[in-house]
Amino acid sequence: MQHQYYSLITMDDISITSLLVPCTFILGFLLLYSFLNRKVKPLPPGPKPWPIVGNLPHLGPKPHQSMAALARVHGPLIHLKMGFVHVVVASSASVAEKFLKVHDANFSSRPPNSGAKHVAYNYQDLVFAPYGPRWRMLRKICALHLFSAKALNDFTHVRQDEVGILTRVLADAGETPLKLGQMMNTCATNAIARVMLGRRVVGHADSKAEEFKAMVVELMVLAGVFNLGDFIPPLEKLDLQGVIAKMKKLHLRFDSFLSKILEDHKINSSDETKGHSDLLNMLISLKDADDAEGGRLTDVEIKALLLNLFAAGTDTTSSTVEWCIAELVRHPEILAQVQKELDSVVGKNRVVKEADLAGLPFLQAVVKENFRLHPSTPLSLPRIAHESCEVNGYLIPKGSTLLVNVWAIARDPNVWDEPLEFRPERFLKGGEKPNVDVRGNDFELIPFGAGRRICAGMSLGIRMVQLLTATLIHAFDFDLADGQLPESLNMEEAYGLTLQRADPLVVHPKPRLAPHVYQT
Ligand code: HEM
């Protein structure tokens, strides 16, 4: 009996154990699987990195183009290992939206880089300031005093004045061929200088103007270099590409220009300082008194902000318009259509005013189409992941650099019909994208970036690009220099942080309005 009893228990035991063991195993496996699956998502796909340098050799001379080619192979979200740094690149509108809208708070600072350290006063500026109270204060100052609708309207006369001066210089050129980009840069620089400093800083026939543009372009070229030391810290001191040495030299040139401006201003306008007659006076007065956010600006912070505004607000504008005029020279039928619109709205007895712009839908479509094909910062400005996060099922590790390839996004054949064609009518009623705008809400077209760190000067940039483009094509026809044919105009890009033309546009402007227009 006892034997039977024991044997029964043993039988039950065996059957329970035989069920429990595999069940526990399966459950454990499932838990482990879901744990691993939840915790360790894969990195986004990308090309295999080389030892130590990683994917740096994949970048080539024009990184935005190389990255667009990589995205065609690996998809719209790719991972690159650049030296020791994880870099993720967004190359479609929907991926850009995930980063700059859904995860924008996590990507609201910029990664450490030698340009910020050696040129932009060791991050004391606005463009590279870490996301936080100082960044907020600097943005607020700019938003209020420079870029609010009121501030922009208050200074309309300054922009119109400077564009008027440019128009007269072009009309007086005679047979001399002109580098249009250079002339527009002088115009944009003075328009900003008059608002910030209350005076012009460069003249049209002035060697200082060329020097100033060259300094800004050099800054953009140096800032666009993928400096080995930024990605492989042990190499930083060696400065193998010589970038840091050039940055330090350039910084000294900018600093002496800005220090002189600041000192002159303090001497010449100390009485008016409280009157805030220009932005610099206002910044100087802030230096001495706490503002509402407890912000005080040091001399270095003031110079860093001036540097930002001159650097970010001049070449971006002038090279954008230079591309636009080149496109119109190559598309005479589109040029004729914009000129017809301008002639009917403005007439031939005066130049364009900012107030005319709202009534020029075709001109606006031309400007948008140009922003699409020639965004002045093709990889936008980099951001850094504050924490690890997940995007489209992939792990984006903490500290990753985010690049948004706005150039590739705006040429995505899945989103744009015939993306390489210059076709402004796509933005008109009845076109494929009638409601798409450039202001950071439509992610297929984000030349100014999007989210918290969207371009601070976007409204000024748009106004200035529209006014310059409209005025130039209304007031002039353009022949290319040296008998060059429009169809053979070189449209190659040269890489910097901003997108320069490989060959500057050289033209003979031919006035097309009543002669008195060019005399006032
Ligand atoms: C054609 C004109 C311009 C274009 C295409 C352009 C483009 C950009 C882009 C793509 C960014 C980075 C945005 C991001 O991280 O998402 C940026 C940032 C910035 N831009 Fe512009 N920009 C233009 C004109 C201007 C002007 C006129 C100014 C000022 C005078 C300006 C000042 C700035 C500043 C201060 C930042 C840094 C903002 C921050 O980090 O908070 N830009 N710009």
Side-chain angles (χ1 to χ4, degrees), residues 84-352:
F84 301 177
V85 179
H86 290 288
V87 177
V88 290
V89 189
S91 306
S92 76
S94 76
V95 174
E97 184 167 3
K98 296 264 167 57
F99 282 106
L100 299 179
K101 193 170 174 185
V102 182
H103 293 280
D104 184 45
N106 194 32
F107 289 91
S108 48
S109 277
R110 308 212 184 270
N113 65 87
S114 38
K117 184 167 168 190
H118 299 293
V119 186
Y121 294 89
N122 204 16
Y123 303 88
Q124 302 215 48
D125 65 334
L126 165 59
V127 175
F128 294 106
Y131 184 63
R134 195 165 55 83
W135 170 80
R136 251 191 298 280
M137 176 189 67
L138 292 170
R139 269 220 64 141
K140 193 172 138 194
I141 290 171
C142 289
L144 254 160
H145 300 279
L146 267 180
F147 305 129
S148 65
K150 180 179 178 320
L152 285 177
N153 290 340
D154 285 351
F155 291 112
T156 295
H157 68 283
V158 169
R159 292 185 293 278
Q160 289 181 175
D161 228 39
E162 286 303 319
V163 176
I165 293 171
L166 172 66
T167 308
R168 289 193 287 284
V169 173
L170 295 187
D172 289 346
E175 290 309 300
T176 320
L178 297 178
K179 281 189 185 164
L180 202 54
Q182 170 66 63
M183 325 267 323
M184 292 189 291
N185 194 279
T186 302
C187 171
T189 305
N190 282 327
I192 291 186
R194 281 176 62 183
V195 174
M196 293 194 308
L197 318 173
R199 66 177 176 90
R200 311 179 83 222
V201 286
V202 280
H204 274 287
D206 187 350
S207 63
K208 249 172 59 188
E210 265 185 59
E211 194 189 325
F212 187 78
K213 177 171 163 46
M215 275 162 67
V216 172
V217 170
E218 188 182 349
L219 172 65
M220 296 304 182
V221 170
L222 290 175
V225 172
F226 283 77
N227 177 30
L228 283 175
D230 288 351
F231 300 98
I232 309 172
L235 295 184
E236 191 185 345
K237 289 231 156 41
L238 298 180
D239 189 20
L240 292 174
Q241 295 142 291
V243 174
I244 294 179
K246 286 186 194 151
M247 283 178 172
K248 286 181 176 167
K249 237 166 118 182
L250 183 64
H251 172 75
L252 290 178
R253 288 168 70 197
F254 268 117
D255 188 56
S256 88
F257 169 77
L258 296 167
S259 299
K260 182 155 179 359
I261 285 179
L262 189 56
E263 288 319 312
D264 283 357
H265 222 76
K266 282 184 192 166
I267 294 165
N268 296 330
S269 56
S270 52
D271 294 343
E272 312 157 19
T273 298
K274 298 279 182 285
H276 299 184
S277 56
D278 57 51
L279 183 79
L280 186 50
N281 281 337
M282 196 278 302
L283 295 178
I284 292 169
S285 75
L286 249 190
K287 189 169 153 350
D288 303 320
D290 284 351
D291 83 342
E293 292 205 13
R296 277 167 185 255
L297 291 182
T298 62
D299 273 3
V300 168
E301 283 169 330
I302 291 178
K303 287 191 286 185
L305 185 58
L306 292 179
L307 171 66
N308 278 174
L309 299 176
F310 275 121
T314 54
D315 188 57
T316 45
T317 301
S318 61
S319 52
T320 299
V321 184
E322 189 183 5
W323 280 110
C324 194
I325 303 291
E327 286 291 3
L328 291 170
V329 168
R330 288 171 75 233
H331 295 89
E333 67 299 342
I334 300 177
L335 175 62
Q337 206 177 329
V338 207
Q339 286 177 330
K340 195 170 154 207
E341 182 182 65
L342 283 157
D343 291 347
S344 78
V345 173
V346 182
K348 289 198 154 187
N349 285 312
R350 66 171 178 90
V351 287
V352 179

